[in-house]
Amino acid sequence: MKRRTVANEACDAGRVLVNGKEARASYNVKEGDVLEIHLGERVLRARVLSVAEYAKKEEASGLYTLLE
């Protein structure tokens, strides 16, 4: 569960925003949410297109779209 731990730490550090507000690790992402993740100097923004409990690696990129 290394990825989940990293995600929780990022949320706790205030590096993850959902719709412009700081996200808690327990937040349930919904379709249409805009995620903003601060990775050092880089900021990654994505809109959630669909939420799936389980997704194969090949399908994962279809669940979101990157924003400028």
Side-chain angles (χ1 to χ4, degrees):
M1 294 289 173
K2 183 177 181 182
R3 292 181 190 152
R4 185 173 298 197
T5 300
V6 171
N8 286 340
E9 289 172 356
C11 287
D12 292 344
R15 294 191 315 245
V16 179
L17 304 177
V18 177
N19 302 321
K21 298 177 184 172
E22 278 192 25
R24 297 178 59 124
S26 60
Y27 179 79
N28 288 320
V29 175
K30 298 181 268 323
E31 291 180 20
D33 281 348
V34 175
L35 306 177
E36 188 172 309
I37 305 165
H38 295 260
L39 305 166
E41 297 293 320
R42 187 171 170 223
V43 177
L44 178 69
R45 293 185 71 230
R47 180 179 314 279
V48 178
L49 301 176
S50 181
V51 177
E53 188 69 30
Y54 301 100
K56 294 181 181 177
K57 184 178 179 181
E58 301 82 32
E59 302 166 343
S61 63
L63 300 176
Y64 65 91
T65 185
L66 294 177
L67 305 172
E68 292 297 319

